[in-house]
Amino acid sequence: MPHDHAHDAPDAALAKAIEQLRAHDLRVTEPRKAMLAILVQEHGPFSAEELHGKLRAKECDVVTVYRSLQAMEEIGVLRRCDFGDGTYRYEFNHGEHHHHHIICRTCRSVHTLDLCVADSLERLARQMGYQNVSHTLEVFGTCPRCAAK
Ligand SMILES: [Zn+2]
Ligand SMILES: [Zn+2]
Ligand SMILES: [Zn+2]
C-alpha cells in the first residue's frame, strides 16, 4: 500500500494518541494500545473484524474493538471511512495529512488520493451557520490491474 506521508514517527504518533485518550478521559487499556499500535503502523483502513483478527492474541472481543474504534473516532484519534458496503473502516488520523481513498470495485484494493477538494464545501457550510463541519468522500473505480484482465 503506498503511504508516503511525512507524518510523525510511529512512536511519537502513538504517544500523542494515548495522550489524547487520557485528555478525553478514555481508559488506556492494553487492547486499545495494541489497536493504536497497529493503526499507526499500517494504513488500513480496517473494519472492527479485520482489526480484531490482527489482535487475536490480546483476548478482547470484537464488540470491544468496535466500541473502542467508535470512541477513538469521536475524539479525533481515528478517522472513519465509509466504502459504501455497509462496513465502517477506521484509520489513524494523522491530522493535517488529510487524504481520501480510491477503492477498486472489483478487487476492493485501497489506495490513497493525496488531495482534498472539499475545503470550499466546508467553508460554504460554515457560512450557512453550521458548526463542527466535517466530510467524508471516497472514490470508486476499476483499478488498472482489474481493467487489464
Ligand atoms: Zn482491482
Ligand atoms: Zn487512508
Ligand atoms: Zn477531504
Side-chain angles (χ1 to χ4, degrees), residues 107-143:
C107 69
R108 307 304 294 176
S109 65
V110 178
H111 286 93
T112 56
L113 295 172
D114 242 321
L115 172 76
C116 181
V117 292
D119 287 350
S120 49
L121 288 174
E122 290 204 351
R123 210 176 310 126
L124 182 60
R126 278 191 288 270
Q127 281 165 6
M128 290 165 71
Y130 285 80
Q131 292 179 12
N132 305 317
V133 173
S134 68
H135 68 272
T136 59
L137 171 72
E138 308 297 359
V139 181
F140 299 87
T142 304
C143 75

Side-chain angles (χ1 to χ4, degrees), residues 102-107 109-111 141-149:
I102 171 81
I103 302 108
C104 177
R105 285 196 189 89
T106 305
C107 69
S109 65
V110 178
H111 286 93
T142 304
C143 75
R145 241 208 252 169
C146 289
K149 277 180 197 157

Side-chain angles (χ1 to χ4, degrees), residues 3-20:
H3 197 250
D4 47 14
H5 304 308
H7 48 61
D8 290 340
D11 287 353
L14 183 60
K16 219 190 266 179
I18 288 170
E19 238 171 72
Q20 260 176 286

Side-chain angles (χ1 to χ4, degrees), residues 36-49:
L36 285 170
I38 292 167
L39 289 163
V40 162
Q41 295 285 352
E42 301 181 48
H43 171 238
F46 298 117
S47 66
E49 285 75 16

Side-chain angles (χ1 to χ4, degrees), residues 28-67:
V28 181
T29 60
E30 285 307 314
R32 280 180 183 173
K33 266 198 269 184
M35 287 162 66
L36 285 170
I38 292 167
L39 289 163
V40 162
Q41 295 285 352
E42 301 181 48
H43 171 238
F46 298 117
S47 66
E49 285 75 16
E50 285 166 339
L51 206 55
H52 183 247
K54 291 172 178 289
L55 282 171
R56 236 167 325 199
K58 300 283 177 188
E59 286 191 37
C60 82
D61 59 30
V62 70
V63 178
T64 304
V65 174
Y66 182 81
R67 287 197 188 128

